[in-house]
Amino acid sequence: MTRDFSTVGVVGLGTMGAGIVEVFARNGIDVVAVEISEPALERGRATLSGSTDRAVAKGKLAAADRDALHERVHFAVGLDALHSVDLVIEAVPEHLDLKQRIFAELDRVCRPETILATNTSSLSVTEISVATSRPNQVIGIHFFNPAPVMKLVEVVRTVVTSPEVVADVEALCARLGKVDVTINDRAGFIANALLFGYLNHAVGMFEAHYATREDIDAAMKLGCGLPMGPLALMDLIGLDTAYEILDTMYRRGGRDRRHAPVPLLKQMVTAGLLGRKSGRGFYTYERPGSPVVVPDEATPLATEAAVADGARAITKVGVVGSGTMATGIIEVFAKAGYEVVSVTRGMEKSAKVCEAVKTSLNKGVVRGKLAEADRDAALGRISWSATLDHLADVDLVVEAVVEELSVKKALFASLDEICKPGVVLATTTSSLPVIDVAMATHRPADVVGLHFFNPAPVMPLVEVVRTIRTSPEATATARAVCAALGKTGVVCGDRSGFIVNALLFPYLNDAVKMLEASYSTADDIDHAMKLGCGYPMGPFELLDVVGLDVSLAIQRELYLELREPGFAPAPLLEHLVTAGYLGRKTRRGFRDHSHR
C-alpha cells in the first residue's frame, strides 16, 4: 500500500511554485504555500489567482471549483508552517547553497516520516539530500512549466532514496493525472539534458551570424513541427535560468562542450537581457513579462518588396530528377502557376513521375483542397522530357537527383553549358556542400541551395543556402520564389546540415547516447520529450521514421565538418545500422515494427 498524501507543502511561489500549488489543490489535496516574506507571498497568491481566473474564463474550470481550490490553499511566511505536512516540494531558484539551507531547515521542522522533494531541473538531488539527516526520504519531483498544463513529471531517485518513497511519489503523480518517468540523479535528467544542448547550439548559430533569429526559429518550427523556435524558447525560460542550467550540466555532466554556455549567453545575462521577464532577450517584448514581440532594430522588413528586391523574374522552371522529392517539387511549382519542364533519365521514368504527380493532385481534389480546374491547369503547365537540352530557355533549374557529389557535379557542369546566362541553378542537397556543386560551373554566383523538406507539397519550409560565391541577386531570387510558392524561405550559410539538420541530429544523437548509457528507456525518453517539451515525436520514434542509416550519414557529415567531439555518432547507432536495423523501412530500428 502506498501512503495517502492529505497535505503537501510548497516552498517558493514563483511561476513554477504557484503552478505546483494549483496542481495539488485542483486534485483535492490541501496545500501549505510558503514564501520568505509577505510581499513575495502576495505575488504568489496573485499568480495563482491569475492562472485560475484564466482557466475559468476559458471554460476549463468551473467558478465553484476555482473557489474550492483556493479554499484548499493556506498561505504562510516561513518554513515553520510546514510542521505537519506529508510531503514538501521546494521550488526556489536554482542555487545549491540556498536549496541545501532550506532542506536543512525542513529536516528540523518536518515530521520524521515527511518526504522532502526538490523541483530542481539541473542540480544534484544527492547533494541537496545530504543537507538533511534523512537522505533516504529525499527525492526529485521535476514538474514542467506551466505545471497545471504539462503532463510530464520526472521522478529523480538518488542512490539512497528509499524504494517505498519512489513508489509513493509515483502513485501521487498518477493521482495528479501526470505521466511520470523515474530516473537516476544525473545532470539535466532526461528532458533538460537533451533540450539544452540543442538550445545552446542554436544560440551559437545566432552568435556566429549564421542565420537570423527569425530564420533559426522558423526553421525549427516549420521544419520539425516544434511548438516554439529555440531562441523564443530561451526568452521564455529566461536567459539567466538557461545559463545556470547549462553551466551546472557542463560542470556535473563530464564537461561536454555541447553544454558549455555560448559566450553570448553570459554577455546577455550580464547586460540584463533575460528574455520575456525583462522585456528583452533575443527578441524585444511589449513590456516585461509580456509574450507580445515588438519590432526592434534587428527585425527584418517583412514587405514583399524587400523579398523581391534584386530578384530576377522567373516564369519557367526546370526540375531534374525522378524521386519522391523531384515529384513533390514539380507539383509545388505547377500548382503555383509556373511552367515546369521535368527532366528524367528516360521516358519510362518520366511516365512514372507523371503518374505520381497526377495521383497526388487527384488526392488534393478528393480531399477538397484543390478544384478540378486547378488540377487540370497545373498538369497543363508541365512538360515531360528525358533530355537536359530542353532546359535551354528556363529561368530556374532545381536539381533533385541522388545525394552523390560526383553525380551532382557532372549534372551542374552540363547545366552550365546548356542554360542561358542569368539562370539560377539550385540544388536540393540536404547534406553536401553547395560550393562543391557551384564550382563545377563557370557561374558559381548563380548557384544556391534550395533545400525542400519531404513531402514538398505539404512542408512549409525551404532552406535557402548561399555559398561564399552566391550573388545577392541569386539569393533574392530564391527567396522571392519561396514566397511565390507559399513557402517560408530561411537563409543560411553553406555549412553541413544547414539549420534544421545541424540542430536536430545532434539532439537525436544525444538521445541515443542516453539510451546506450542505460540511463533510461526509449519509451521514457520519448515520453519526456513529447510531454515535457511538446515535441510532436520522441527522438526514437523520429529516428525510426527518418531511417537510422540516413541519420547516421547526416551525423557523420556534421562530425567531419565541425570536428566537435560531442557530435561523434553514438556507437549504438552505428551498430544498429551495421546489423541492418534501419527503422520502419526494415521493420526494425530502435523498436520492432514487424507487427504494425
Side-chain angles (χ1 to χ4, degrees), residues 270-328:
T270 306
L273 306 177
L274 308 182
R276 283 190 191 182
K277 59 187 170 189
S278 68
R280 180 122 192 215
F282 289 102
Y283 295 90
T284 301
Y285 298 87
E286 204 170 41
R287 61 182 179 277
S290 168
V292 180
V293 175
V294 294
D296 57 24
E297 66 279 1
T299 304
L301 295 169
T303 61
E304 287 300 316
V307 171
D309 190 28
R312 298 167 193 167
I314 305 289
T315 54
K316 194 171 185 179
V317 178
V319 180
V320 184
S322 56
T324 310
M325 194 45 97
T327 305

Side-chain angles (χ1 to χ4, degrees), residues 159-202:
V159 287
V160 295
T161 306
S162 138
E164 291 76 26
V165 167
V166 175
D168 290 344
V169 168
E170 287 174 336
L172 177 62
C173 289
R175 179 179 166 186
L176 298 175
K178 302 293 186 186
V179 174
D180 73 89
V181 294
T182 300
I183 44 181
N184 295 327
D185 184 21
R186 193 179 104 166
F189 313 137
I190 297 176
N192 281 356
L194 295 180
L195 177 67
F196 277 86
Y198 149 71
L199 294 177
N200 199 38
H201 190 183

